[in-house]
Amino acid sequence: MTEGTGEDTSEDWTGDMAETQAAPSSRLTITTGADDAGQRLDRVLARHAPDLSRTRIQRLVADGQVQLGGRVVVDAAGRVNAGDVYSIALPEPEAAEPAAENIPLSIAYEDDDLIVIDKPAGMVVHPAPGHSSGTLVNALLHHCGDSLSGIGGVRRPGIVHRIDKDTSGLLVVAKHDKAHQGLAAQFADHGRTGPLERAYLAFVWGVPRPRGSVNAPIDRHPTHRQKMAVRQSGREAITHWQLLETYAGADGEPLASLVECQLETGRTHQIRVHMAHIGHPLLGDEVYGQGFRTKAARLPEEARTLLEGLKRQALHAARLGFAHPVSEQHLAFDSDLPEELEALHAVLSGAGEA
């Protein structure tokens, strides 16, 4: 689940009405000229700031580091107007290698070859621009020591797969090259012919069919580059779901459900994109479920309060199974819903099934 897009296509700029000045404390101010009007933001800013590639500009926009008139810019592909004044915050350069940090970990299993972590919501898996510390990798480097160095690359040692920052649950990390290679092969197969199993619990709006599958390719959104979308240009993505429970709203009518999702592929935001695509976005998903915000008003009051305080999508990586890459023993782990999702589940269940 990678981030970042784009090719470095920055160009020299020779317009006569643009103004560029470096502000103190790593902040850049750019005023666009008449020749810039109607052009893409990332292309214009890269021309005005030759030291920043379009890829770097896109990343800064995605990280909320670009402002127009004091408001954060969210679309690097948006069109500019003459006379726009953009402010770009340039974070301090980050270390080439992540630093070990003494961060508590919830460990489901550990041996000399691998470690299975039950990740809390809010923790980023590996360092990225804007998240150079406090990540799972920083914690693992402290817990495991030098055994992780270099495994899977400098920036993501030992990481075979990842789950979103605001998704909780299980993931496995390799401690050495042989374990990394064995686990990576299983994740590349996605359980089609091997023992890999990944299951997620998701609270969704509406009531889907008892079971089904979504086979729809996923690619970067054409205009909102921080989002993913179902697009024919995308990579194959397959999600299977099974309906577990349904919940009534305060009016007694069906309103929400608990589903189990199993992945046959591993694309960025796959479950969130696919469930929204079939009309059942996740509760708490501010990116893919914005059109369903009004449904929260139909929840029982206690459930509505819990959802408002959740501050994340209601998604949990509840089951992980795989063959041990060294011993070949089959390992399987289950993770209970974290406290905040269990509280939501209890209130929704207490309100009655639809």
Side-chain angles (χ1 to χ4, degrees):
M1 297 188 175
T2 57
E3 298 291 343
T5 60
E7 175 184 346
D8 183 359
T9 55
S10 56
E11 305 168 3
D12 292 332
W13 182 78
T14 56
D16 60 355
M17 295 184 65
E19 174 187 347
T20 303
Q21 69 181 63
S25 302
S26 300
R27 183 171 289 275
L28 188 68
T29 299
I30 293 176
T31 302
T32 60
D35 292 347
D36 300 318
Q39 298 188 39
R40 283 177 57 114
L41 173 64
D42 54 357
R43 184 182 295 274
V44 170
L45 295 185
R47 287 205 306 260
H48 285 242
D51 291 338
L52 300 178
S53 68
R54 281 182 66 189
T55 301
R56 176 66 169 148
I57 293 292
Q58 290 164 358
R59 168 52 58 194
L60 289 169
V61 170
D63 289 340
Q65 302 294 341
V66 179
Q67 295 185 6
L68 172 62
R71 300 180 63 180
V72 174
V73 176
V74 298
D75 185 7
R79 304 297 168 170
V80 307
N81 299 308
D84 284 346
V85 180
Y86 291 92
S87 175
I88 307 174
L90 301 174
E92 292 298 320
E94 297 176 354
E97 297 186 16
E101 297 179 32
N102 187 7
I103 301 171
L105 291 171
S106 177
I107 299 172
Y109 175 83
E110 182 177 14
D111 61 22
D112 292 338
D113 307 304
L114 57 87
I115 182 171
V116 178
I117 300 296
D118 199 340
K119 185 187 83 69
M123 174 180 273
V124 176
V125 171
H126 56 73
H131 296 286
S132 61
S133 64
T135 73
L136 178 61
V137 163
N138 297 115
L140 287 168
L141 288 172
H142 179 272
H143 179 82
C144 300
D146 294 337
S147 64
L148 288 180
S149 298
I151 305 299
V154 171
R155 299 293 289 180
R156 54 185 77 186
I159 302 298
V160 181
H161 66 121
R162 56 171 280 189
I163 55 181
D164 292 343
K165 168 180 175 285
D166 290 326
T167 298
S168 53
L170 298 164
L171 74 163
V172 59
V173 178
K175 287 188 175 182
H176 54 73
D177 281 323
K178 182 178 179 180
H180 190 272
Q181 291 166 5
L183 289 169
Q186 293 182 61
F187 277 86
D189 180 66
H190 297 296
R192 289 187 173 101
T193 62
L196 180 71
E197 180 186 14
R198 288 179 292 168
Y200 292 72
L201 293 176
F203 293 85
V204 302
W205 291 113
V207 182
R209 299 192 315 257
R211 63 181 66 246
S213 299
V214 185
N215 186 343
I218 292 177
D219 201 352
R220 189 70 57 177
H221 193 285
T223 57
H224 300 286
R225 304 301 290 177
Q226 70 273 32
K227 293 177 59 176
M228 308 301 291
V230 169
R231 302 182 66 193
Q232 290 306 309
S233 61
R235 300 172 67 189
E236 180 186 38
I238 302 172
T239 303
H240 307 287
W241 86 84
Q242 178 180 353
L243 179 63
L244 301 180
E245 298 175 359
T246 60
Y247 311 115
D251 57 5
E253 295 298 319
L255 182 61
S257 304
L258 176 64
V259 298
E260 179 183 281
C261 295
Q262 295 201 17
L263 301 180
E264 196 173 317
T265 54
R267 308 300 174 219
T268 301
H269 299 175
Q270 180 173 318
I271 291 174
R272 298 165 64 190
V273 172
H274 273 174
M275 295 310 293
H277 180 65
I278 63 172
H280 300 288
L282 274 62
L283 273 65
D285 194 335
E286 293 295 323
V287 176
Y288 300 103
Q290 290 183 341
F292 285 70
R293 285 177 177 171
T294 56
K295 287 189 177 292
R298 294 175 52 199
L299 287 169
E301 183 177 356
E302 189 176 359
R304 185 168 65 250
T305 300
L306 287 171
L307 181 58
E308 289 172 352
L310 192 59
K311 306 301 183 184
R312 68 159 175 123
Q313 64 268 5
L315 181 63
H316 180 65
R319 188 179 314 127
L320 177 63
F322 55 90
H324 192 286
V326 176
S327 69
E328 299 184 357
Q329 175 188 2
H330 184 266
L331 300 176
F333 306 94
D334 291 285
S335 170
D336 293 334
L337 288 172
E339 182 178 353
E340 67 276 13
L341 289 185
E342 182 53 48
L344 180 65
H345 176 246
V347 171
L348 290 172
S349 300
E353 291 199 0

